[in-house]
């Protein structure tokens, strides 16, 4: 019995939709797989066989990673959206999302939206905020198509999720990249159903440039839970770049003398990012204290 490898793009009941090449097959999930400890989710790779005209998932392959909220496997990239106006950019939120994405070892693309109605200096300020991080940056004006091709290229061949504050044109961008979808504004996850254990079921949408984007509002938990104060600096690449360069080993870059990070402020580390680092550091310190109270 031969089998083909495919990507699970959606789950409904005991069936899964699996992309095998350019074809989407509706496949029955074998009972033994439905009983396994790990729930099968969009993004899982699977081996599919065809028996008497019926497509069957025989095996779910080992994952590279798994996001709990939203539940999706084998994610490569997160595109984090921040509007330049209406509402104004919330870079504290964007940096929080970046830390969470770094924790999951995801590639990060910073997307500054509504560039067509913002001041010309607005995207420059956001890009400057992320100097030293190594993150890709795209300035977008979705209604005019500006930056869409650049974003397509960055997401080509990858499994991606979109995240960011409300009103950042995520739905408009998904519509531009997924032909015939027609999501309403603000309806990033309007087609998501409920699955076993009332878990949100994520669906992968095929991008016209190759790859997929998750039909999901992105991270639903924004707490930096599980991140210790001495872990945080490793999750901000512009801060981590100075590891070992400070006078004291294990420098937290907040008060110690001879701190290389503080010496780099306004140069390779933006002051806004550093201020957010200090805010997150205090949050992580307080969370650690609560653990032992």
């Amino acid at each position: 019995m031969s089998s083909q490898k495919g990507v699970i793009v959606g789950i409904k009941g005991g069936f899964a939709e699996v992309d095998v090449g350019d074809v989407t097959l509706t496949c029955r999930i074998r009972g033994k797989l439905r009983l396994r400890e790990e729930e099968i989710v969009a993004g899982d790779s699977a081996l599919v066989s065809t028996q008497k005209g019926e497509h069957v998932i025989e095996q779910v392959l080992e994952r590279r990673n798994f996001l709990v909220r939203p539940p999706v496997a084998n994610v490569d990239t997160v595109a984090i959206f921040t509007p330049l106006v209406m509402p104004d950019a919330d870079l504290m939120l964007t940096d929080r999302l970046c830390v969470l994405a770094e924790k999951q070892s995801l590639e990060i693309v910073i997307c500054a939206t509504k560039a067509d109605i913002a001041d010309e200096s607005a995207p420059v300020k956001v890009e400057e905020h992320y100097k030293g991080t190594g993150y890709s940056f795209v300035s977008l004006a979705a209604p005019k198509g500006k930056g869409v091709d650049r974003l397509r290229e960055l997401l080509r061949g990858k499994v991606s999720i979109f995240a960011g504050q409300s009103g950042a044109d995520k739905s408009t961008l998904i519509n531009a990249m997924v032909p015939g979808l027609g999501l309403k504004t603000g309806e990033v996850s309007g087609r998501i159903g409920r699955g076993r254990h009332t878990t949100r079921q994520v669906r992968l949408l095929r991008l016209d440039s190759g790859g997929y984007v998750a039909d999901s509002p992105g991270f639903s938990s924004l707490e930096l839970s599980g991140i210790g104060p001495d872990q945080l600096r490793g999750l901000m690449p512009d801060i981590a770049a100075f590891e070992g360069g400070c006078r004291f080993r294990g420098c937290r870059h907040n008060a110690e003398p001879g701190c290389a990070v503080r010496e780099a402020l306004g140069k390779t580390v933006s002051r806004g990012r550093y201020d957010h680092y200090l805010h997150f550091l205090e949050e992580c310190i307080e969370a650690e204290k609560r653990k032992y109270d």
Side-chain angles (χ1 to χ4, degrees):
M1 177 181 64
S2 61
S3 58
Q4 298 174 285
K5 184 179 176 180
V7 176
I8 295 175
V9 296
I11 304 287
K12 191 170 183 180
F15 292 85
E17 290 186 338
V18 184
D19 275 8
V20 178
D22 293 330
V23 179
T24 303
L25 305 176
T26 299
C27 303
R28 179 169 58 83
I29 301 172
R30 284 206 180 280
K32 64 179 182 181
L33 294 178
R34 292 202 299 273
L35 295 174
R36 71 184 209 145
E37 186 175 341
E38 289 184 339
E39 183 180 7
I40 300 171
V41 299
D44 274 323
S45 296
L47 296 181
V48 176
S49 68
T50 303
Q51 305 167 27
K52 299 179 181 179
E54 181 186 42
H55 307 296
V56 181
I57 292 181
E58 299 289 347
Q59 182 182 352
V60 177
L61 304 180
E62 186 176 352
R63 295 166 173 163
R64 289 184 290 105
N65 60 34
F66 174 65
L67 304 185
V68 176
R69 293 186 296 269
V72 58
N74 299 320
V75 178
D76 300 299
T77 303
V78 56
I80 302 179
F81 290 79
T82 181
L84 299 171
V85 290
M86 302 173 58
D88 292 338
D90 183 349
L91 294 182
M92 173 79 83
L93 171 62
T94 304
D95 282 338
R96 185 179 292 273
L97 290 169
C98 287
V99 169
L100 294 170
E102 287 280 359
K103 187 183 178 186
Q104 297 290 347
S105 301
L106 303 180
E107 294 178 14
I108 295 171
V109 180
I110 302 295
C111 301
T113 63
K114 302 187 180 182
D116 52 325
I117 57 174
D119 185 272
E120 288 184 4
S121 65
V124 177
K125 290 177 182 176
V126 175
E127 187 170 16
E128 180 73 6
H129 183 78
Y130 289 99
K131 65 183 178 183
T133 62
Y135 299 154
S136 298
F137 176 82
V138 187
S139 177
L140 290 152
K144 296 184 177 180
K146 178 188 172 185
V148 175
D149 287 344
R150 164 79 171 144
L151 184 57
R152 277 196 186 99
E153 193 56 38
L154 288 169
L155 303 185
R156 183 187 299 275
K158 298 173 181 177
V159 174
S160 306
I161 62 171
F162 286 3
Q165 68 195 91
S166 298
D169 279 355
K170 294 186 289 293
S171 297
T172 304
L173 264 299
I174 290 179
N175 282 334
M177 300 175 74
V178 183
L181 180 63
L183 284 178
K184 296 176 183 177
T185 302
E187 188 195 356
V188 175
S189 57
R191 297 192 300 149
I192 295 174
R194 293 282 178 172
R196 133 175 114 93
H197 307 313
T198 68
T199 302
R200 279 191 181 276
Q201 292 293 327
V202 175
R203 181 176 178 79
L204 295 186
L205 307 171
R206 191 195 291 262
L207 298 174
D208 59 2
S209 57
Y212 298 90
V213 61
D215 179 14
S216 161
F219 304 109
S220 60
S221 175
L222 297 178
E223 293 181 7
L224 301 179
S225 56
I227 298 176
D230 291 317
Q231 224 183 335
L232 176 66
R233 59 184 180 269
L235 301 177
M236 297 183 75
D238 40 349
I239 305 292
F242 294 90
E243 193 68 25
C246 300
R247 184 187 304 176
F248 296 103
R249 186 178 178 182
C251 178
R252 286 186 173 177
H253 315 306
N254 59 339
E256 300 90 337
C259 174
V261 171
R262 287 191 288 137
E263 289 173 3
L265 285 180
K267 301 170 188 174
T268 53
V269 178
S270 75
R271 289 192 174 275
R273 283 274 294 178
Y274 178 69
D275 288 344
H276 295 167
Y277 164 77
L278 293 179
H279 181 93
F280 298 152
L281 179 63
E282 187 61 32
E283 190 176 318
C284 292
I285 290 171
E286 288 302 315
E288 189 170 73
K289 286 179 181 175
R290 287 196 297 272
K291 269 197 321 186
Y292 300 104
D293 284 348

